[in-house]
């Protein structure tokens, strides 16, 4: 059952129960001398992978496939194929540096935004 389907009386009852639980938790904290939490919060999920990490994984995959292809042809060709792929991996370009805004540009944008808000507030007072 969702909250949207509850009656006003059921919502009041739920709120009262929550208040009682909070009070009991405070009492427990006073007895034990520490704060207690009902449920630990889940840690925030950290984002993705860096460009360098993706490049390393792609390079390793290329190297594996080069070995597989070379093994199908000639054993002597394996070494040359692996060397060529390894050389390509080493010579890959690093990721481009992200664009950062200058302090002057930030100040200019901030001043323009403040002017817009000041004009909007002045117009609202009229």
């Amino acid at each position: 059952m969702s909250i949207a389907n509850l009656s006003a009386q059921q919502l009041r009852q739920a709120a009262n129960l929550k208040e009682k639980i909070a009070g009991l938790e405070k009492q427990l904290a006073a007895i034990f001398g520490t704060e207690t939490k009902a449920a630990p919060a889940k840690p925030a999920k950290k984002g993705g992978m860096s460009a360098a990490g993706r490049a390393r994984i792609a390079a390793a995959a290329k190297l594996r496939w080069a070995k597989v292809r070379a093994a199908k042809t000639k054993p002597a060709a394996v070494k040359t194929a692996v060397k060529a792929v390894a050389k390509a991996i080493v010579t890959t370009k690093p990721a481009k540096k992200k664009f950062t805004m200058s302090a002057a540009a930030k100040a200019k944008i901030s001043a323009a935004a403040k002017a817009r808000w000041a004009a909007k507030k002045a117009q609202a007072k009229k």
Side-chain angles (χ1 to χ4, degrees):
M1 183 181 272
S2 70
I3 290 180
N5 297 335
L6 295 176
S7 68
Q9 183 181 8
Q10 289 172 323
L11 286 173
R12 273 190 233 109
Q13 189 177 14
N16 288 338
L17 286 173
K18 282 241 185 213
E19 288 175 7
K20 285 180 184 177
I21 291 170
L24 291 172
E25 284 180 345
K26 284 183 183 178
Q27 288 178 6
L28 270 177
I31 291 170
F32 290 121
T34 60
E35 281 193 37
T36 58
K37 289 187 177 181
K42 290 184 180 179
K45 192 172 184 180
K46 300 210 176 185
M49 187 184 306
S50 68
R54 280 193 301 276
R56 283 193 303 270
I57 290 172
K62 286 178 183 178
L63 186 62
R64 284 193 301 272
W65 279 108
K67 286 179 182 178
V68 169
R69 287 189 196 103
K72 287 183 180 178
T73 58
K74 297 178 186 175
V78 173
K79 285 186 180 180
T80 57
V82 169
K83 284 182 183 178
V85 172
K87 187 176 181 181
I89 292 169
V90 172
T91 59
T92 56
K93 294 180 182 177
K96 272 188 167 182
K97 186 179 176 184
K98 288 187 178 179
F99 173 76
T100 54
M101 194 180 300
S102 69
K106 285 180 185 178
K108 187 176 178 182
I109 290 172
S110 176
K114 286 178 182 177
R116 278 195 306 272
W117 278 107
K120 195 166 196 162
K121 286 180 182 178
Q123 189 177 21
K125 285 184 178 179
K126 288 183 180 182

